[in-house]
Amino acid sequence: MTLLRRLGVLVLAAVTLSLVAVGPASAYAPVGVVHTERVQAGPYGLTVGFSTWPVRAMQSLDFTFMPDGGIADKSGTLRLSGPAIKRGRAENPLVRHPRKRESWGLDIQALDDPGKYTFTFAIDGPLGHGEGALADLAVLDQPGPPLPLSWTISLLPLLGLVVFLGIAWRRTRPGRVPLTL
């Protein structure tokens, strides 16, 4: 019985150590800001952070918006304009970034088309209302090969599998073979 008890304690210790080791590693990765731009929105200075620079079309990245003095007593909206922005979805309230809670932001967003984009901010706070814009943000072409070429190359194995199954089906013709007992 003591051997069984020792084995149980050993297993419990191993499970506890594995949970302690995995705990911090499974947390969300922090947002790494690699480039910032300054925007003056009325009386409010605003730092716009990018997790990837230069910005490329169809590439996911994080945007962070940090007003001077923090976000505690402020609210605002963000209006995007550019080649890939639909009119109905262009204006959104500024909300906390899910992984960088002390700032506003957009989590893993992608701008679909290359071109010039404008981020227009409207901020309300103790100093009143202010508006400002980050104009002419250049979004470059998407990284990698063109999309039709990428899809064609990625679908070649599926096409090979379909051809193989068609040939195998034709050779065996399972519907035409009589059942024998």
Side-chain angles (χ1 to χ4, degrees):
M1 192 64 148
T2 60
L3 180 62
L4 188 59
R5 186 174 289 166
R6 285 183 183 172
L7 184 61
V9 168
L10 220 85
V11 167
L12 182 63
V15 167
T16 303
L17 283 175
S18 68
L19 289 176
V20 168
V22 171
S26 66
Y28 288 117
V31 177
V33 175
V34 299
H35 181 77
T36 60
E37 296 282 337
R38 288 290 293 170
V39 175
Q40 191 64 36
Y44 306 104
L46 185 71
T47 302
V48 180
F50 302 89
S51 65
T52 303
W53 191 260
V55 179
R56 295 188 173 273
M58 301 184 80
Q59 183 179 26
S60 296
L61 69 151
D62 290 304
F63 296 98
T64 59
F65 314 115
M66 181 57 130
D68 296 342
I71 63 172
D73 54 353
K74 298 173 188 75
S75 65
T77 59
L78 167 66
R79 187 174 59 244
L80 293 173
S81 59
I85 306 300
K86 295 178 183 167
R87 297 228 183 257
R89 297 180 24 203
E91 190 165 332
N92 296 310
L94 287 168
V95 295
R96 288 181 189 261
H97 192 283
R99 292 180 287 138
K100 192 171 176 123
R101 303 293 293 166
E102 69 277 358
S103 67
W104 293 319
L106 301 173
D107 187 31
I108 56 172
Q109 295 290 317
L111 301 172
D112 293 335
D113 293 328
K116 299 283 185 181
Y117 287 80
T118 301
F119 288 37
T120 305
F121 300 93
I123 299 176
D124 293 310
L127 301 175
H129 181 77
E131 290 193 18
L134 174 61
D136 295 332
L137 175 67
V139 175
L140 306 175
D141 287 332
Q142 73 176 27
L147 250 122
L149 179 62
S150 296
W151 277 97
T152 302
I153 291 172
S154 66
L155 288 176
L156 284 177
L158 179 63
L159 180 65
L161 178 65
V162 168
V163 168
F164 171 75
L165 290 175
I167 291 171
W169 182 271
R170 186 167 165 83
R171 286 188 179 177
T172 58
R173 296 184 191 217
R176 294 188 180 190
V177 176
L179 293 175
T180 58
L181 297 174

